[in-house]
Every structure is written in structure tokens, then in C-alpha cells.
Amino acid sequence: MSTLSFDQFTKKIYIKTTIEKLFWCWGTAEGIESWFLSKAIYTSPENHVRNVSEYVQVNDNYVWEWHNWDGQEKGSILQTNNLNFIEFSFAESCKVSVRLAQKDNAVLLTLRQYDIPTDEKSKLNIHFGCSNGWTFWLANLKAYLEHGILLNEREFDLTKIPSAGFEFVNI
């Protein structure tokens, strides 16, 4: 087992679907909005807004918005092969990579978030917060693709609860 540290973490999950469908969920605005975000806008380096069904490309920028969170995440696509791998900047200075590998009748999704700062605030908000967040969102993705249901809270407005992101498990 590799040494655990606060500057990175890995999350894995088997999902019974195709690599193509799973990559669509990560590589297009339409796909990522189906299970994860309320809004995703991708723009090319030339500032052309990509169509929601168009796959992202290296050096695209993004603006993401979530259900039940008033903020935005802005970043860029660092790498993609538009098949089974994507990497993007995330949470200020971090990077997230997603790898997909066929394993029998399922796809093994491996998410790695790294280059996490190790100051106390980042340990709490990025390492702890993102690690918990990705655990939920990957389970939500599995529920969506295997059973057609979404587990994230869309009915109740949690934006007025300051600690909602730390207390609610489905935000």
C-alpha cells in the first residue's frame, strides 16, 4: 500500500456501464450536468463556447456550478484522450485525473486528486472536503448509470446553512 498523505488521495469504484457512456459523463457539459453539476460551460482557448454535447479538449477552460452551492469552480482541461482519461485543474491549485478501465462486465473508475496544499486550511477544506465529496459523487454516478436515480439533494435549498457542505452527505 502506498503511503497516505494530505497532498493527494485516490478514489475507486466499479460501475456497470460502458467506457463510452462513462467518459461522456465526464467529457461533455451535457454528461457532467446529468449527474454532478447544475451548469457546466466549456470554452476553447479561442473563447468559443463548446456545444453541450461536444467533447472537451486540452486547454479548454470551464466554469462549473453545483446544486445547493452558490459558488463557481473555474479551471481548465489539462489532458484528455477523449476515450478513457481526463485531467483537469480543480480546487485552486489541485489537479484531478479520471482513468477508466474495462474490468469484466464493469468499468473501474480511478479518480486521483493531487497537488493539494498541506496547510491546515487545505487539509480540512480540500483534502477532507474533496475526499468526502468525491466519495459521494462517485456513488451518485454509479446510482445514476446503474439504476437511473440521483442521490444528490435537489428538492431542499441547503445554501442558507453555513455548515451544509460538512454536514449533509448528499450535497
Side-chain angles (χ1 to χ4, degrees):
M1 179 172 153
S2 63
T3 304
L4 297 176
S5 66
F6 284 107
D7 66 340
Q8 65 89 31
F9 61 83
T10 299
K11 300 292 178 183
K12 296 182 179 187
I13 191 168
Y14 285 103
I15 302 176
K16 292 182 181 176
T17 190
T18 65
I19 286 179
E20 295 79 15
K21 179 70 174 184
L22 198 46
F23 193 82
W24 171 84
C25 287
W26 287 94
T28 67
E30 180 179 43
I32 207 161
E33 288 176 5
S34 70
W35 66 278
F36 184 42
L37 302 170
S38 65
K39 185 74 175 165
I41 299 170
Y42 294 98
T43 55
S44 71
E46 298 78 31
N47 213 28
H48 163 74
V49 176
R50 296 209 180 273
N51 181 289
V52 295
S53 61
E54 188 178 358
Y55 281 90
V56 299
Q57 301 297 317
V58 173
N59 296 323
D60 280 0
N61 292 309
Y62 68 79
V63 178
W64 289 352
E65 297 176 5
W66 280 262
H67 302 275
N68 271 312
W69 186 59
D70 289 332
Q72 291 183 330
E73 178 73 24
K74 296 179 180 181
S76 61
I77 305 302
L78 304 173
Q79 297 183 62
T80 182
N81 65 6
N82 285 330
L83 176 65
N84 62 0
F85 177 78
I86 190 167
E87 181 181 64
F88 49 91
S89 62
F90 189 71
E92 300 167 25
S93 63
C94 305
K95 295 176 185 157
V96 172
S97 67
V98 177
R99 293 184 187 279
L100 310 173
Q102 190 69 48
K103 300 289 184 183
D104 299 323
N105 66 339
V107 176
L108 175 62
L109 184 156
T110 303
L111 180 144
R112 181 173 174 249
Q113 186 164 332
Y114 60 102
D115 288 348
I116 301 171
T118 56
D119 60 279
E120 291 306 309
K121 182 179 176 187
S122 296
K123 285 179 182 179
L124 176 65
N125 291 332
I126 299 176
H127 188 278
F128 177 75
C130 290
S131 180
N132 280 327
W134 284 123
T135 298
F136 167 75
W137 286 108
L138 294 178
N140 193 53
L141 178 57
K142 181 179 178 78
Y144 170 68
L145 290 173
E146 291 185 6
H147 304 287
I149 59 171
L150 293 169
L151 306 172
N152 61 306
E153 187 58 64
R154 293 179 177 214
E155 182 179 348
F156 298 99
D157 181 5
L158 305 177
T159 60
K160 307 299 185 248
I161 303 171
S163 59
F166 290 102
E167 294 176 349
F168 283 85
V169 299
N170 65 333
I171 187 169

